[in-house]
Amino acid sequence: MRATTLADRQAIYERLGTGPLPIEGMLSAEQYEAEVQHIFNKAWLMVGRVEEIAEPGDYKIKRLDVAQTSAILVRGRDGEVRAFHNLCTHRGNKVVPETGHDSFGRARGHSLTCRFHGWVFDTAGPLKMLPQEARFPEPIDRSCLGLKPMHCSIWQGFIFINLADEPEDTLDDFLGDYGEHFAGYPFARASWRRRYSSVLDCNWKVALDAFSEGYHVETIHAGTLPGIASVEMEQTDYKLFGPHSTSGFYVPGAEAMKPTPVEARLGGSLRQSARHGPHLDLLPPTINPKKRNDFMFEFSVMGPNTVLHLCAGAAYPGMAYFHHQFWPMGPGKTLWQGTNYYQPPQTASELVALVHTDTLHRNAWLEDTSTMENTYLGLKSGKLKDVLLMEDEVMIRNSHYAIKEATHAR
Amino acid sequence: MRVDATSLPPEFADLEALAAIWALPTENERSALRWRSSKADFQALYDAVAPRLDAMLIALDSHPLAAMPPAFQRLLHLALAFAEATPHVELYKGANQVPISFDNSRFTAEHGDQVYGRS
């Protein structure tokens, strides 16, 4: 079913309700199993960018603990990106050894060779050869023994997989109007990637929710982002698109921000450069619809487990974007990955300025992640039955509405 | 592969003692140092490098980012250490941790072992 837009405030609250949010679903192992089955094994999941596997033969191994598998995302000699289970069809070993949650490499001669018994697969999937084939007592039908494929589709350079045997929706319908809202942003320009990650002892929804609202900025980021935390901000232009939602983040008080001396020098050099400076004209037309100069970023939840922010060089350096992902590893365990994408630095001074910006971002994320395990412990204490949500926390309401709809309607 | 140079370009000879401490080639190495540095360590770096930052960036930009001579790579690594350590002086009152934050040892940087300044 295509995800269509709901933008009217009253209609949003009529759909989502205005009351407190019950917390039971963040604690229940049964609910977790329902989410694994009905959401993570059915929804389209964003697992990478085309720039991560830019050349034929390049691969990324994405561990998917939630489905007890991992995906080989590989670019074939024909340039196509394909996804396979990282699973040898001989006896089930991982074909490509992993070095972490994400691993990267290049297949030599477009061959992926299992280290267990040396079965060799082509990057397009087929089983190319196996040692001592004649010694299997029954004939080997190689045509049935290629790598097990995963449904794979690309939107705006983001690689998605779907673990269902037959996905309920195409990726285009799954993203629906959300996909159109963000289409056309120059994602490919911002190919310089800086990724931080941690495994958190909390339910994935606790972590998702913590990054899904702007209400926390002026308190939790007063240490690292005092300029932003001390001036007037506005989160507005809320839109729902099925399991996805978005909003615009503006800084009407930006002129009152007092950057530190080094931030003024390094961040200032980026803001004043033609390459990294403001380019509001490059935003898709439905983002920043009133063409405000104090636009800071578009701030969205791409269901089920991604938070995506787009920037346009105003109050933030460059046509840069960033996302958070929350990968369930169990009812109370979550892999968080925060990734900043910038335009690649062309000079040393650009590199130093971008690293300074990225350091502030990383430090702000250290502030964000400080709440999640504590929040989860607080919820587990049993002293709260539900939590209160203000207007800027409405995207949390939408995520929980969509999760409930996907798991309870069955 | 580590940078072999033990000296900065001659015009930055006054920063040699700081470079010996801070000009580490990777973010992981610089972060490990930062999380155990003192207020005095941060202040010494800031006071010496901040007034020279413009000159450093101009000198660095005279070489292609992907092919810097060893002395300039070392200068770049000092500039990166400064960029990463500055918030501890300007924002955190010399503390070596981000105040009220998550355990930094549990953060992994995917790019943490990359060395900038060469192809």
Side-chain angles (χ1 to χ4, degrees):
Chain A
M1 203 168 68
R2 191 182 160 81
T4 52
T5 312
L6 187 64
D8 175 72
R9 185 180 181 281
Q10 194 183 335
I12 286 173
Y13 277 119
E14 273 172 22
R15 176 180 168 85
L16 303 181
T18 54
L21 178 75
I23 63 170
E24 193 191 345
M26 291 188 256
L27 303 175
S28 149
E30 196 177 52
Q31 172 64 19
Y32 177 79
E33 290 307 323
E35 290 163 1
V36 171
Q37 186 183 343
H38 296 299
I39 297 175
F40 286 92
N41 278 290
K42 289 186 179 169
W44 287 95
L45 305 172
M46 196 270 279
V47 289
R49 283 286 310 169
V50 291
E51 295 87 6
E52 291 179 309
I53 47 172
E55 301 296 327
D58 285 356
Y59 63 77
K60 172 180 180 176
I61 311 298
K62 176 75 188 167
R63 206 179 274 170
L64 297 163
D65 300 87
V66 71
Q68 298 175 73
T69 188
S70 64
I72 303 175
L73 312 168
V74 60
R75 192 178 287 276
R77 55 171 75 70
D78 56 359
E80 286 295 306
V81 173
R82 295 179 180 83
F84 302 99
H85 288 269
N86 186 15
L87 167 77
C88 183
T89 52
H90 172 213
R91 280 173 54 199
N93 187 42
K94 286 182 176 174
V95 174
V96 185
E98 295 161 15
T99 53
H101 301 288
D102 296 345
S103 316
F104 297 90
R106 179 170 293 179
R108 292 170 68 183
H110 279 277
S111 294
L112 297 166
T113 304
C114 180
R115 295 287 291 269
F116 198 176
H117 302 95
W119 285 34
V120 181
F121 299 90
D122 188 81
T123 52
L127 174 61
K128 288 210 275 202
M129 69 80 79
L130 59 153
Q132 304 184 54
E133 184 175 345
R135 294 186 61 207
F136 282 82
E138 292 184 0
I140 294 285
D141 182 357
R142 284 200 220 167
S143 68
C144 300
L145 289 168
L147 292 169
K148 299 285 182 195
M150 246 179 224
H151 292 278
C152 178
S153 193
I154 293 173
W155 167 80
Q156 299 289 307
F158 290 94
I159 304 167
F160 289 74
I161 56 104
N162 191 306
L163 293 161
D165 292 338
E166 285 305 325
E168 291 173 0
D169 295 310
T170 63
L171 176 60
D172 276 353
D173 280 349
F174 173 74
L175 293 173
D177 289 353
Y178 176 93
E180 286 184 16
H181 185 65
F182 285 94
Y185 181 87
F187 291 103
R189 284 193 198 189
S191 60
W192 195 57
R193 184 177 81 246
R194 310 266 295 177
R195 178 169 295 152
Y196 298 92
S197 64
S198 192
V199 174
L200 303 166
D201 291 325
C202 71
N203 184 266
W204 71 280
K205 299 185 293 300
V206 171
L208 167 69
D209 293 353
F211 276 113
S212 296
E213 45 90 359
Y215 186 30
H216 68 267
V217 173
E218 62 189 76
T219 37
I220 208 166
H221 296 317
T224 292
L225 308 172
I228 294 168
S230 65
V231 300
E232 187 191 348
M233 291 172 292
E234 188 186 355
Q235 194 180 351
T236 184
D237 299 340
Y238 288 99
K239 294 183 185 73
L240 313 184
F241 319 87
H244 325 295
S245 54
T246 195
S247 62
F249 208 91
Y250 301 86
V251 193
E255 286 178 11
M257 289 192 334
K258 292 187 188 67
T260 62
V262 170
E263 164 58 11
R265 171 68 184 82
L266 294 178
S269 72
L270 294 173
R271 280 187 282 274
Q272 285 154 23
S273 80
R275 186 168 150 80
H276 300 277
H279 277 293
L280 293 166
D281 53 310
L282 293 178
L283 288 171
T286 52
I287 294 180
N288 187 23
K290 299 195 177 94
K291 311 292 173 208
R292 290 172 59 166
N293 287 323
D294 60 347
F295 172 84
M296 191 174 190
F297 44 70
E298 184 76 3
F299 173 17
S300 73
V301 176
M302 181 164 69
N305 67 331
T306 301
V307 169
L308 173 67
H309 296 241
L310 299 189
C311 310
Y316 189 90
M319 296 305 287
Y321 69 97
F322 55 100
H323 59 63
H324 298 284
Q325 290 203 289
F326 312 94
W327 294 102
M329 300 173 73
K333 200 171 178 188
T334 300
L335 169 68
W336 160 79
Q337 296 180 308
T339 312
N340 280 311
Y341 299 82
Y342 308 93
Q343 293 178 86
Q346 293 179 315
T347 61
S349 57
E350 276 186 27
L351 171 68
V352 173
L354 288 172
V355 164
H356 180 257
T357 295
D358 194 68
T359 299
L360 292 174
H361 231 135
R362 189 269 317 275
N363 291 359
W365 290 349
L366 280 165
E367 294 168 343
D368 286 307
T369 46
S370 74
T371 69
M372 296 163 192
E373 293 181 350
N374 289 340
T375 299
Y376 187 58
L377 282 174
L379 298 182
K380 285 208 295 188
S381 76
K383 296 298 171 195
L384 298 176
K385 293 284 175 271
D386 42 40
V387 293
L388 300 172
L389 297 171
M390 59 87 89
E391 183 150 332
D392 291 344
E393 297 172 306
V394 74
M395 295 201 296
I396 297 175
R397 286 185 197 278
N398 191 60
S399 299
H400 285 262
Y401 182 93
I403 291 164
K404 191 174 173 188
E405 197 177 42
T407 54
H408 285 230
R410 306 279 157 176
Chain B
M1 290 290 287
R2 298 184 66 96
V3 176
D4 297 320
T6 52
S7 59
L8 297 167
E11 62 268 39
F12 298 101
D14 55 310
L15 300 176
E16 285 291 357
L18 281 168
I21 301 166
W22 290 96
L24 300 167
T26 69
E27 181 178 315
N28 281 346
E29 290 169 282
R30 294 190 299 268
S31 290
L33 171 62
R34 204 169 58 249
W35 304 131
R36 59 182 156 79
S37 294
S38 70
K39 181 175 182 174
D41 296 332
F42 288 126
Q43 198 67 49
L45 175 70
Y46 189 87
D47 290 347
V49 173
R52 308 292 310 280
L53 183 59
D54 283 340
M56 285 167 72
L57 296 178
I58 290 166
L60 287 168
D61 284 349
S62 66
H63 294 278
L65 181 54
M68 294 208 154
F72 286 83
Q73 279 184 43
R74 190 166 161 82
L75 187 67
L76 174 63
H77 298 151
L78 179 62
L80 291 171
F82 172 77
E84 292 159 353
T86 289
H88 295 267
V89 175
E90 293 190 336
L91 299 170
Y92 310 145
K93 301 186 171 73
N96 58 14
Q97 307 294 310
V98 179
I100 315 177
S101 71
F102 189 67
D103 176 0
N104 58 57
S105 70
R106 292 174 57 193
F107 254 41
T108 305
E110 183 188 272
H111 51 274
D113 289 325
Q114 273 179 17
V115 178
Y116 298 115
R118 23 186 174 126
S119 56

